[in-house]
Amino acid sequence: MAARPLWAIVLQWTLWLLLMTSVMRWLGRTREQKPEGATGTLAHPRSTLIVGLVCTGLFLACAVGSVLLPGPRRPAFIPYFFLGFAALGVPMILDWRNARHTMVRGGLRYRTMLGRGGDLRWADVRKLRYSPSSKWFRLDLADGRAVRISAMLTGLPAFAQAALAEVDPGAIDSASRRVLDATAMGELPRIWG
């Protein structure tokens, strides 16, 4: 097997980087749209569903192709490998479908990726922090529940404004406060890079 020339490797990774940057910019821009439904709603933009479906569909097709298409003998685990990657898109689809939150007087009505939900009162928030690696706001409540609000949602400025106004200032660390302040002004958290 001949080694690939350096220019081909550089071109491959440059194209991958450009494609990923374009997709992530598109995802970031779709968060700026007005949320579907009433004011005070936090929901995933349609782009979340599209990425989840493309990921799942592409790797399902690879799994089926690795079983059905002729070629050299392949290890038996290959279709399962692709099925594992196909499963990575399912949480995105579920989150798009189920994770919708509504601002209510004095709090937030939330639903999780798996469809469970509840209500929280801002006064019950004991700790609010932003995770730059996970790209979500985590609200720890007095009763032990933890509610996560994804940075991918539309309607984040209204959430940030309400949290800054209603949550005990001592419950928000300084780094998270900076992110909330910027979000409240319309500068959404970065989702890439």
mmCIF file of all heavy atoms in Angstrom, residues 77-112:
data_model
loop_
_atom_site.group_PDB
_atom_site.id
_atom_site.type_symbol
_atom_site.label_atom_id
_atom_site.label_comp_id
_atom_site.label_asym_id
_atom_site.label_seq_id
_atom_site.Cartn_x
_atom_site.Cartn_y
_atom_site.Cartn_z
ATOM 1 N N PHE A 77 -17.450 -7.239 13.883
ATOM 2 C CA PHE A 77 -17.873 -6.131 14.741
ATOM 3 C C PHE A 77 -18.145 -4.830 13.968
ATOM 4 O O PHE A 77 -18.724 -3.896 14.519
ATOM 5 C CB PHE A 77 -16.824 -5.856 15.833
ATOM 6 C CG PHE A 77 -15.563 -5.231 15.324
ATOM 7 C CD1 PHE A 77 -15.452 -3.849 15.214
ATOM 8 C CD2 PHE A 77 -14.481 -6.018 14.965
ATOM 9 C CE1 PHE A 77 -14.288 -3.265 14.740
ATOM 10 C CE2 PHE A 77 -13.315 -5.439 14.493
ATOM 11 C CZ PHE A 77 -13.218 -4.056 14.379
ATOM 12 N N ILE A 78 -17.765 -4.756 12.709
ATOM 13 C CA ILE A 78 -17.876 -3.508 11.943
ATOM 14 C C ILE A 78 -19.314 -2.964 11.899
ATOM 15 O O ILE A 78 -19.529 -1.779 12.166
ATOM 16 C CB ILE A 78 -17.280 -3.665 10.525
ATOM 17 C CG1 ILE A 78 -15.775 -3.904 10.589
ATOM 18 C CG2 ILE A 78 -17.610 -2.465 9.645
ATOM 19 C CD1 ILE A 78 -14.978 -2.729 11.120
ATOM 20 N N PRO A 79 -20.342 -3.780 11.577
ATOM 21 C CA PRO A 79 -21.700 -3.210 11.576
ATOM 22 C C PRO A 79 -22.098 -2.666 12.952
ATOM 23 O O PRO A 79 -22.759 -1.626 13.041
ATOM 24 C CB PRO A 79 -22.595 -4.382 11.182
ATOM 25 C CG PRO A 79 -21.699 -5.361 10.523
ATOM 26 C CD PRO A 79 -20.342 -5.164 11.118
ATOM 27 N N TYR A 80 -21.688 -3.330 14.015
ATOM 28 C CA TYR A 80 -22.021 -2.874 15.364
ATOM 29 C C TYR A 80 -21.283 -1.566 15.695
ATOM 30 O O TYR A 80 -21.810 -0.717 16.402
ATOM 31 C CB TYR A 80 -21.689 -3.953 16.396
ATOM 32 C CG TYR A 80 -22.437 -5.234 16.124
ATOM 33 C CD1 TYR A 80 -21.780 -6.349 15.624
ATOM 34 C CD2 TYR A 80 -23.812 -5.302 16.328
ATOM 35 C CE1 TYR A 80 -22.478 -7.509 15.352
ATOM 36 C CE2 TYR A 80 -24.512 -6.461 16.065
ATOM 37 C CZ TYR A 80 -23.844 -7.562 15.569
ATOM 38 O OH TYR A 80 -24.537 -8.703 15.304
ATOM 39 N N PHE A 81 -20.096 -1.443 15.169
ATOM 40 C CA PHE A 81 -19.327 -0.212 15.330
ATOM 41 C C PHE A 81 -20.110 0.962 14.731
ATOM 42 O O PHE A 81 -20.285 2.000 15.361
ATOM 43 C CB PHE A 81 -17.970 -0.396 14.637
ATOM 44 C CG PHE A 81 -17.081 0.806 14.675
ATOM 45 C CD1 PHE A 81 -16.382 1.130 15.814
ATOM 46 C CD2 PHE A 81 -16.934 1.595 13.542
ATOM 47 C CE1 PHE A 81 -15.535 2.244 15.843
ATOM 48 C CE2 PHE A 81 -16.099 2.703 13.555
ATOM 49 C CZ PHE A 81 -15.405 3.025 14.706
ATOM 50 N N PHE A 82 -20.618 0.777 13.501
ATOM 51 C CA PHE A 82 -21.406 1.826 12.850
ATOM 52 C C PHE A 82 -22.736 2.061 13.571
ATOM 53 O O PHE A 82 -23.205 3.190 13.660
ATOM 54 C CB PHE A 82 -21.636 1.498 11.377
ATOM 55 C CG PHE A 82 -20.417 1.702 10.519
ATOM 56 C CD1 PHE A 82 -19.930 0.674 9.731
ATOM 57 C CD2 PHE A 82 -19.766 2.925 10.488
ATOM 58 C CE1 PHE A 82 -18.808 0.862 8.933
ATOM 59 C CE2 PHE A 82 -18.639 3.123 9.691
ATOM 60 C CZ PHE A 82 -18.165 2.081 8.920
ATOM 61 N N LEU A 83 -23.351 1.010 14.084
ATOM 62 C CA LEU A 83 -24.602 1.175 14.831
ATOM 63 C C LEU A 83 -24.362 2.005 16.099
ATOM 64 O O LEU A 83 -25.223 2.798 16.504
ATOM 65 C CB LEU A 83 -25.200 -0.184 15.197
ATOM 66 C CG LEU A 83 -25.852 -0.951 14.053
ATOM 67 C CD1 LEU A 83 -26.299 -2.334 14.530
ATOM 68 C CD2 LEU A 83 -27.016 -0.175 13.462
ATOM 69 N N GLY A 84 -23.205 1.816 16.722
ATOM 70 C CA GLY A 84 -22.865 2.626 17.890
ATOM 71 C C GLY A 84 -22.785 4.104 17.544
ATOM 72 O O GLY A 84 -23.289 4.957 18.280
ATOM 73 N N PHE A 85 -22.182 4.413 16.409
ATOM 74 C CA PHE A 85 -22.116 5.810 15.973
ATOM 75 C C PHE A 85 -23.503 6.326 15.576
ATOM 76 O O PHE A 85 -23.824 7.491 15.799
ATOM 77 C CB PHE A 85 -21.128 5.991 14.822
ATOM 78 C CG PHE A 85 -19.715 6.147 15.291
ATOM 79 C CD1 PHE A 85 -18.810 5.106 15.185
ATOM 80 C CD2 PHE A 85 -19.284 7.343 15.854
ATOM 81 C CE1 PHE A 85 -17.511 5.254 15.630
ATOM 82 C CE2 PHE A 85 -17.990 7.498 16.300
ATOM 83 C CZ PHE A 85 -17.092 6.446 16.187
ATOM 84 N N ALA A 86 -24.334 5.473 14.987
ATOM 85 C CA ALA A 86 -25.699 5.883 14.634
ATOM 86 C C ALA A 86 -26.473 6.259 15.892
ATOM 87 O O ALA A 86 -27.287 7.191 15.874
ATOM 88 C CB ALA A 86 -26.416 4.762 13.877
ATOM 89 N N ALA A 87 -26.207 5.565 16.972
ATOM 90 C CA ALA A 87 -26.907 5.848 18.233
ATOM 91 C C ALA A 87 -26.546 7.227 18.788
ATOM 92 O O ALA A 87 -27.307 7.784 19.589
ATOM 93 C CB ALA A 87 -26.581 4.764 19.261
ATOM 94 N N LEU A 88 -25.419 7.796 18.376
ATOM 95 C CA LEU A 88 -25.025 9.122 18.865
ATOM 96 C C LEU A 88 -25.984 10.224 18.419
ATOM 97 O O LEU A 88 -26.103 11.257 19.081
ATOM 98 C CB LEU A 88 -23.603 9.459 18.412
ATOM 99 C CG LEU A 88 -22.494 8.605 19.013
ATOM 100 C CD1 LEU A 88 -21.144 8.985 18.400
ATOM 101 C CD2 LEU A 88 -22.447 8.751 20.521
ATOM 102 N N GLY A 89 -26.687 10.027 17.322
ATOM 103 C CA GLY A 89 -27.637 11.029 16.849
ATOM 104 C C GLY A 89 -28.971 10.975 17.576
ATOM 105 O O GLY A 89 -29.721 11.958 17.585
ATOM 106 N N VAL A 90 -29.275 9.850 18.200
ATOM 107 C CA VAL A 90 -30.578 9.683 18.858
ATOM 108 C C VAL A 90 -30.788 10.676 20.005
ATOM 109 O O VAL A 90 -31.870 11.273 20.098
ATOM 110 C CB VAL A 90 -30.767 8.218 19.310
ATOM 111 C CG1 VAL A 90 -32.028 8.049 20.142
ATOM 112 C CG2 VAL A 90 -30.794 7.295 18.092
ATOM 113 N N PRO A 91 -29.809 10.920 20.874
ATOM 114 C CA PRO A 91 -30.044 11.926 21.922
ATOM 115 C C PRO A 91 -30.348 13.319 21.366
ATOM 116 O O PRO A 91 -31.144 14.053 21.949
ATOM 117 C CB PRO A 91 -28.735 11.931 22.721
ATOM 118 C CG PRO A 91 -28.152 10.591 22.496
ATOM 119 C CD PRO A 91 -28.546 10.219 21.090
ATOM 120 N N MET A 92 -29.758 13.672 20.243
ATOM 121 C CA MET A 92 -30.049 14.978 19.640
ATOM 122 C C MET A 92 -31.503 15.038 19.176
ATOM 123 O O MET A 92 -32.190 16.046 19.366
ATOM 124 C CB MET A 92 -29.110 15.267 18.468
ATOM 125 C CG MET A 92 -27.690 15.497 18.883
ATOM 126 S SD MET A 92 -26.649 15.979 17.499
ATOM 127 C CE MET A 92 -27.107 17.705 17.366
ATOM 128 N N ILE A 93 -31.980 13.947 18.582
ATOM 129 C CA ILE A 93 -33.362 13.899 18.123
ATOM 130 C C ILE A 93 -34.317 13.973 19.317
ATOM 131 O O ILE A 93 -35.294 14.721 19.302
ATOM 132 C CB ILE A 93 -33.603 12.619 17.279
ATOM 133 C CG1 ILE A 93 -32.736 12.655 16.015
ATOM 134 C CG2 ILE A 93 -35.073 12.458 16.940
ATOM 135 C CD1 ILE A 93 -32.653 11.333 15.274
ATOM 136 N N LEU A 94 -34.023 13.195 20.347
ATOM 137 C CA LEU A 94 -34.869 13.214 21.546
ATOM 138 C C LEU A 94 -34.852 14.576 22.228
ATOM 139 O O LEU A 94 -35.892 15.061 22.695
ATOM 140 C CB LEU A 94 -34.414 12.137 22.532
ATOM 141 C CG LEU A 94 -34.708 10.695 22.147
ATOM 142 C CD1 LEU A 94 -34.083 9.741 23.150
ATOM 143 C CD2 LEU A 94 -36.204 10.463 22.023
ATOM 144 N N ASP A 95 -33.688 15.195 22.296
ATOM 145 C CA ASP A 95 -33.586 16.509 22.932
ATOM 146 C C ASP A 95 -34.379 17.542 22.137
ATOM 147 O O ASP A 95 -35.078 18.378 22.708
ATOM 148 C CB ASP A 95 -32.122 16.924 23.054
ATOM 149 C CG ASP A 95 -31.836 17.695 24.324
ATOM 150 O OD1 ASP A 95 -32.540 17.476 25.331
ATOM 151 O OD2 ASP A 95 -30.904 18.513 24.322
ATOM 152 N N TRP A 96 -34.310 17.494 20.811
ATOM 153 C CA TRP A 96 -35.075 18.418 19.984
ATOM 154 C C TRP A 96 -36.568 18.233 20.221
ATOM 155 O O TRP A 96 -37.321 19.202 20.343
ATOM 156 C CB TRP A 96 -34.765 18.203 18.500
ATOM 157 C CG TRP A 96 -35.616 19.052 17.624
ATOM 158 C CD1 TRP A 96 -35.399 20.360 17.288
ATOM 159 C CD2 TRP A 96 -36.845 18.690 16.995
ATOM 160 N NE1 TRP A 96 -36.419 20.818 16.489
ATOM 161 C CE2 TRP A 96 -37.321 19.805 16.294
ATOM 162 C CE3 TRP A 96 -37.594 17.510 16.961
ATOM 163 C CZ2 TRP A 96 -38.494 19.784 15.562
ATOM 164 C CZ3 TRP A 96 -38.772 17.495 16.239
ATOM 165 C CH2 TRP A 96 -39.209 18.623 15.547
ATOM 166 N N ARG A 97 -37.001 16.988 20.329
ATOM 167 C CA ARG A 97 -38.424 16.695 20.492
ATOM 168 C C ARG A 97 -38.940 17.033 21.887
ATOM 169 O O ARG A 97 -40.022 17.578 22.039
ATOM 170 C CB ARG A 97 -38.680 15.221 20.203
ATOM 171 C CG ARG A 97 -40.120 14.807 20.308
ATOM 172 C CD ARG A 97 -40.280 13.312 20.016
ATOM 173 N NE ARG A 97 -41.652 12.919 20.140
ATOM 174 C CZ ARG A 97 -42.238 12.591 21.287
ATOM 175 N NH1 ARG A 97 -41.562 12.635 22.416
ATOM 176 N NH2 ARG A 97 -43.504 12.218 21.320
ATOM 177 N N ASN A 98 -38.171 16.704 22.925
ATOM 178 C CA ASN A 98 -38.689 16.758 24.294
ATOM 179 C C ASN A 98 -38.228 17.950 25.122
ATOM 180 O O ASN A 98 -38.977 18.416 25.974
ATOM 181 C CB ASN A 98 -38.319 15.474 25.042
ATOM 182 C CG ASN A 98 -38.986 14.259 24.438
ATOM 183 O OD1 ASN A 98 -40.076 14.341 23.901
ATOM 184 N ND2 ASN A 98 -38.324 13.123 24.514
ATOM 185 N N ALA A 99 -37.002 18.379 24.947
ATOM 186 C CA ALA A 99 -36.438 19.395 25.850
ATOM 187 C C ALA A 99 -36.945 20.785 25.478
ATOM 188 O O ALA A 99 -36.339 21.503 24.702
ATOM 189 C CB ALA A 99 -34.916 19.354 25.825
ATOM 190 N N ARG A 100 -38.080 21.127 26.051
ATOM 191 C CA ARG A 100 -38.672 22.456 25.862
ATOM 192 C C ARG A 100 -38.941 23.022 27.246
ATOM 193 O O ARG A 100 -39.476 22.342 28.107
ATOM 194 C CB ARG A 100 -39.966 22.363 25.066
ATOM 195 C CG ARG A 100 -39.742 21.788 23.683
ATOM 196 C CD ARG A 100 -40.913 22.099 22.761
ATOM 197 N NE ARG A 100 -40.810 21.387 21.508
ATOM 198 C CZ ARG A 100 -39.989 21.675 20.513
ATOM 199 N NH1 ARG A 100 -39.158 22.662 20.638
ATOM 200 N NH2 ARG A 100 -39.974 20.989 19.412
ATOM 201 N N HIS A 101 -38.573 24.253 27.418
ATOM 202 C CA HIS A 101 -38.728 24.888 28.719
ATOM 203 C C HIS A 101 -39.541 26.162 28.532
ATOM 204 O O HIS A 101 -39.434 26.832 27.503
ATOM 205 C CB HIS A 101 -37.360 25.226 29.323
ATOM 206 C CG HIS A 101 -36.357 24.117 29.181
ATOM 207 N ND1 HIS A 101 -36.526 22.885 29.752
ATOM 208 C CD2 HIS A 101 -35.181 24.054 28.510
ATOM 209 C CE1 HIS A 101 -35.491 22.116 29.451
ATOM 210 N NE2 HIS A 101 -34.663 22.804 28.695
ATOM 211 N N THR A 102 -40.314 26.503 29.540
ATOM 212 C CA THR A 102 -41.153 27.694 29.475
ATOM 213 C C THR A 102 -40.920 28.537 30.709
ATOM 214 O O THR A 102 -40.970 28.037 31.833
ATOM 215 C CB THR A 102 -42.651 27.302 29.398
ATOM 216 O OG1 THR A 102 -42.831 26.391 28.322
ATOM 217 C CG2 THR A 102 -43.514 28.522 29.180
ATOM 218 N N MET A 103 -40.672 29.803 30.487
ATOM 219 C CA MET A 103 -40.529 30.739 31.599
ATOM 220 C C MET A 103 -41.919 30.992 32.175
ATOM 221 O O MET A 103 -42.848 31.286 31.432
ATOM 222 C CB MET A 103 -39.931 32.055 31.109
ATOM 223 C CG MET A 103 -38.653 31.908 30.305
ATOM 224 S SD MET A 103 -37.244 31.472 31.265
ATOM 225 C CE MET A 103 -37.010 32.994 32.097
ATOM 226 N N VAL A 104 -42.045 30.832 33.479
ATOM 227 C CA VAL A 104 -43.299 31.123 34.167
ATOM 228 C C VAL A 104 -43.002 32.116 35.281
ATOM 229 O O VAL A 104 -41.840 32.319 35.652
ATOM 230 C CB VAL A 104 -43.955 29.834 34.740
ATOM 231 C CG1 VAL A 104 -44.381 28.901 33.611
ATOM 232 C CG2 VAL A 104 -43.031 29.123 35.698
ATOM 233 N N ARG A 105 -44.028 32.721 35.815
ATOM 234 C CA ARG A 105 -43.841 33.706 36.869
ATOM 235 C C ARG A 105 -43.084 33.065 38.039
ATOM 236 O O ARG A 105 -43.523 32.083 38.603
ATOM 237 C CB ARG A 105 -45.175 34.242 37.348
ATOM 238 C CG ARG A 105 -45.046 35.325 38.408
ATOM 239 C CD ARG A 105 -46.389 35.825 38.862
ATOM 240 N NE ARG A 105 -47.213 36.331 37.772
ATOM 241 C CZ ARG A 105 -47.199 37.593 37.350
ATOM 242 N NH1 ARG A 105 -46.413 38.461 37.919
ATOM 243 N NH2 ARG A 105 -47.978 37.971 36.360
ATOM 244 N N GLY A 106 -41.922 33.619 38.347
ATOM 245 C CA GLY A 106 -41.137 33.152 39.483
ATOM 246 C C GLY A 106 -40.329 31.897 39.241
ATOM 247 O O GLY A 106 -39.731 31.354 40.171
ATOM 248 N N GLY A 107 -40.276 31.396 37.994
ATOM 249 C CA GLY A 107 -39.517 30.176 37.762
ATOM 250 C C GLY A 107 -39.514 29.702 36.327
ATOM 251 O O GLY A 107 -39.626 30.487 35.376
ATOM 252 N N LEU A 108 -39.401 28.391 36.194
ATOM 253 C CA LEU A 108 -39.236 27.772 34.887
ATOM 254 C C LEU A 108 -39.927 26.417 34.905
ATOM 255 O O LEU A 108 -39.764 25.641 35.852
ATOM 256 C CB LEU A 108 -37.734 27.600 34.607
ATOM 257 C CG LEU A 108 -37.287 26.996 33.300
ATOM 258 C CD1 LEU A 108 -37.480 27.995 32.163
ATOM 259 C CD2 LEU A 108 -35.814 26.616 33.377
ATOM 260 N N ARG A 109 -40.700 26.130 33.873
ATOM 261 C CA ARG A 109 -41.271 24.791 33.669
ATOM 262 C C ARG A 109 -40.345 24.106 32.658
ATOM 263 O O ARG A 109 -40.125 24.627 31.573
ATOM 264 C CB ARG A 109 -42.700 24.904 33.136
ATOM 265 C CG ARG A 109 -43.373 23.562 32.916
ATOM 266 C CD ARG A 109 -44.865 23.722 32.697
ATOM 267 N NE ARG A 109 -45.443 24.182 33.960
ATOM 268 C CZ ARG A 109 -46.250 25.233 34.071
ATOM 269 N NH1 ARG A 109 -46.584 25.947 33.018
ATOM 270 N NH2 ARG A 109 -46.734 25.592 35.255
ATOM 271 N N TYR A 110 -39.814 22.957 33.025
ATOM 272 C CA TYR A 110 -38.806 22.309 32.181
ATOM 273 C C TYR A 110 -39.213 20.893 31.812
ATOM 274 O O TYR A 110 -40.028 20.265 32.482
ATOM 275 C CB TYR A 110 -37.442 22.297 32.889
ATOM 276 C CG TYR A 110 -37.405 21.447 34.132
ATOM 277 C CD1 TYR A 110 -37.055 20.105 34.072
ATOM 278 C CD2 TYR A 110 -37.740 21.977 35.379
ATOM 279 C CE1 TYR A 110 -37.034 19.322 35.213
ATOM 280 C CE2 TYR A 110 -37.719 21.205 36.518
ATOM 281 C CZ TYR A 110 -37.370 19.873 36.428
ATOM 282 O OH TYR A 110 -37.363 19.087 37.546
ATOM 283 N N ARG A 111 -38.617 20.412 30.716
ATOM 284 C CA ARG A 111 -38.741 19.015 30.299
ATOM 285 C C ARG A 111 -37.375 18.528 29.870
ATOM 286 O O ARG A 111 -36.632 19.243 29.213
ATOM 287 C CB ARG A 111 -39.734 18.880 29.144
ATOM 288 C CG ARG A 111 -41.169 19.025 29.613
ATOM 289 C CD ARG A 111 -42.191 18.753 28.542
ATOM 290 N NE ARG A 111 -41.947 17.521 27.826
ATOM 291 C CZ ARG A 111 -42.357 17.299 26.587
ATOM 292 N NH1 ARG A 111 -43.022 18.209 25.942
ATOM 293 N NH2 ARG A 111 -42.109 16.156 25.996
ATOM 294 N N THR A 112 -37.060 17.294 30.220
ATOM 295 C CA THR A 112 -35.752 16.726 29.900
ATOM 296 C C THR A 112 -35.784 16.005 28.554
ATOM 297 O O THR A 112 -36.845 15.828 27.955
ATOM 298 C CB THR A 112 -35.318 15.717 30.983
ATOM 299 O OG1 THR A 112 -36.204 14.587 30.952
ATOM 300 C CG2 THR A 112 -35.321 16.345 32.363
#
